[in-house]
Amino acid sequence: MVSFELKCIECGKAHDIAKPAYACSSCGNLLEIRMDTEAALKRVSTGDFKKRPISVWKYREFIPVGPKAQVFSLDEGGTQMIECRRLAQEIGIKSLKIKFDGTNPTGSFKDRGMTVGITKAVELKMKTVTCASTGNTSASLAAYAGLAGLKCVVLIPEGKVALGKLAQAMMHGATVVTVRGNFDQALDIVMESSNRLGMYVLNSVNPFRIEGQKTAAYEICDQLGGLNPEYLYIPVGNGGNSAAYWKGFEEYESMGFVPGHPVIRGIQAEGAAPIANMFRSGSSELTPVRKPETVATAIRIGKPANWKKTVRAVKESGGSVTTVSDQEILNAQKSMATLAGVFAEPAGAAAVAGLVKDVELGMLDKSSIVVCVSTGHGLKDPDVAISQSVKPMVIDATIEALQKLLEAS
Ligand code: F0G
């Protein structure tokens, strides 16, 4: 077997890894990269692998780009794993770590996938890249396209993209197109038009994106000193990231770097929960949510393109996908900010919200090793943050006025 193969997740048909492809030419299902772990291990066995600092490209031997590929990187990955003592105490568990991927160069986990995706786009000699996005993918793609000198076209749903993300996509020089419709409709347009318009799609249906994002799981194991968490809580929108984490954990386990793998708890917002609905009803088919709504606009998705990958991943891990309400998300966002110093956007607080709910329902052994993934930075969505916070108080420019105010509060 060659080191990396591109195969259909359903029928297993092999596809040419050196050509742009997102879906199986026989059955239409998504494609995934399969790595020959033995060959990969051989590549790292003689090097300085264990001593390298964590980052996406620490794991270059496990990433399917050619040895001569020009890598386009903003030094992504290597993000903090924050020990949250006060937050753990508040929630009622022994310890809690947050993997804060909001500290990536453009403020979300998307950069992990984009450094690989854009490196691949250039390897494939593509000139224009595109995506549909609830915001973060477009911000990240725009930044990396600029770095590599590619044209970038992003489609976003009208009126529902957080201000910071929009500013990023515009500032990085993308052609920003607002679609009168939601994310699912924008993604349909992207998928249907990309071939005809000669654009390379960098949504998470692109298997190379997943290969970048899986490095977050490797990093978590390295940061735990060669252990895997027992539970991983992660927000689910289009379903790419949860599948990517599972791929990373599984590969790291099968290469012998860690003894096991975590149970994955995927968290969706109540108003945009088609995958959680499947788990609740026991259905094996996805029923799309036609009008998804949530304060966590990043995961406002009703027809997740990666649902099959995610359902399979979460089930294999022994976990499930459940929901939290918008209020639970906002409460978690506030607690993370005030008790752990982590300012996450609402979707980036969904994992902690899910953990809080599980603890309340008594679903978790309180001494478990728990990691929550926070996927995006709070500065992305200043409107939600400000609307949830106490407004600044205004005083005259005197010490007495300050003293009076402090005594009164
Ligand atoms: N958290 C944040 C902050 C996101 O931006 C997204 C997805 C997710 C979680 C969910 O990840 O889709 O892989 O399950 N944002 C995409 C975007 C859809 O366009 O930026 P997923």
Side-chain angles (χ1 to χ4, degrees):
M1 182 174 160
V2 288
S3 290
F4 297 100
E5 288 182 315
L6 183 60
K7 290 201 159 171
C8 173
I9 59 165
E10 202 67 28
C11 73
K13 179 176 173 172
H15 290 67
D16 187 352
I17 200 164
K19 289 207 177 114
Y22 322 102
C24 179
S25 53
S26 290
C27 70
N29 278 288
L30 290 185
L31 303 175
E32 67 178 357
I33 307 281
R34 302 234 182 110
M35 176 168 78
D36 177 350
T37 45
E38 264 177 47
L41 267 180
K42 273 195 200 121
R43 288 195 294 274
V44 296
S45 62
T46 52
D48 57 350
F49 176 67
K50 287 203 169 154
K51 285 196 226 128
R52 295 178 206 160
I54 54 167
S55 77
V56 168
W57 294 100
K58 165 180 178 171
Y59 309 99
R60 186 178 172 131
E61 289 87 346
F62 311 144
I63 295 175
V65 296
K68 295 207 183 98
Q70 184 184 0
V71 169
F72 293 92
S73 172
L74 294 168
D75 201 11
E76 49 295 301
T79 53
Q80 296 87 336
M81 185 116 99
I82 297 164
E83 182 72 58
C84 306
R85 289 194 181 79
R86 289 186 70 208
L87 184 57
Q89 205 174 15
E90 166 94 359
I91 294 173
I93 56 172
K94 203 162 148 224
S95 84
L96 166 63
K97 292 184 170 62
I98 291 180
K99 176 68 169 165
F100 192 20
D101 247 9
T103 59
N104 271 299
T106 76
S108 84
F109 71 93
K110 307 287 180 180
D111 297 343
R112 292 181 183 275
M114 238 28 115
T115 182
V116 177
I118 286 287
T119 296
K120 199 72 205 173
V122 172
E123 230 187 356
L124 295 173
K125 303 202 166 35
M126 301 304 293
K127 298 283 179 260
T128 306
V129 289
T130 190
C131 71
S133 180
T134 56
N136 283 323
T137 304
S138 64
S140 183
L141 182 61
Y144 283 85
L147 185 70
L150 302 179
K151 269 181 76 175
C152 175
V153 180
V154 303
L155 273 67
I156 56 173
E158 186 174 35
K160 294 289 180 178
V161 169
L163 203 61
K165 304 175 190 180
L166 185 61
Q168 287 177 291
M170 292 164 69
M171 192 67 191
H172 287 302
T175 301
V176 180
V177 183
T178 295
V179 176
R180 285 192 208 97
N182 59 29
F183 168 84
D184 305 303
Q185 293 166 303
L187 184 58
D188 284 344
I189 297 175
V190 163
M191 296 313 296
E192 281 160 29
S193 67
S194 62
N195 271 352
R196 179 155 28 123
L197 304 179
M199 302 192 288
Y200 189 53
V201 179
L202 276 164
N203 278 99
S204 53
V205 294
N206 184 312
F208 294 97
R209 275 268 314 270
I210 304 298
E211 295 303 293
Q213 288 171 213
K214 73 182 181 183
T215 60
Y218 298 162
E219 283 185 10
I220 288 175
C221 297
D222 285 355
Q223 287 171 306
L224 290 176
L227 284 177
N228 52 281
E230 287 167 285
Y231 289 91
L232 184 96
Y233 283 77
I234 183 165
V236 174
N238 214 19
N241 209 29
S242 30
Y245 267 78
W246 174 243
K247 192 168 193 291
F249 284 123
E250 236 201 340
E251 287 176 353
Y252 231 43
E253 183 188 3
S254 72
M255 290 191 284
F257 290 115
V258 279
H261 58 74
V263 169
I264 295 190
R265 290 283 282 158
I267 309 297
Q268 296 203 288
E270 263 172 22
I275 298 178
N277 292 344
M278 287 179 67
F279 275 84
R280 206 185 37 230
S281 67
S283 166
S284 55
E285 283 303 314
L286 183 97
T287 307
V289 171
R290 274 197 51 242
K291 290 200 172 137
E293 269 317 331
T294 167
V295 68
T297 51
I299 52 173
R300 184 175 166 269
I301 294 174
K303 198 176 67 172
N306 295 288
W307 69 269
K308 275 193 186 169
K309 275 191 186 180
T310 287
V311 168
R312 190 181 63 184
V314 170
K315 280 193 177 159
E316 275 176 28
S317 82
S320 56
V321 179
T322 52
T323 61
V324 288
S325 68
D326 278 3
Q327 193 54 54
E328 286 165 337
I329 289 174
L330 294 173
N331 292 347
Q333 186 190 26
K334 194 81 191 177
S335 301
M336 288 164 69
T338 53
L339 301 176
V342 175
F343 183 19
E345 65 168 289
V352 169
L355 169 67
V356 169
K357 201 166 168 182
D358 274 5
V359 173
E360 280 168 8
L361 294 172
M363 289 185 52
L364 195 83
D365 176 353
K366 291 182 177 168
S367 56
S368 309
I369 305 172
V370 181
V371 173
C372 286
V373 181
S374 183
T375 43
H377 202 286
L379 288 172
K380 297 262 192 181
D381 196 346
D383 294 335
V384 168
I386 288 171
S387 69
Q388 295 306 311
S389 302
V390 178
K391 304 286 170 288
M393 286 166 272
V394 184
I395 58 167
D396 291 333
T398 67
I399 294 172
E400 288 71 29
L402 177 62
Q403 192 175 8
K404 209 167 139 201
L405 182 141
L406 294 178
E407 281 167 1
S409 62

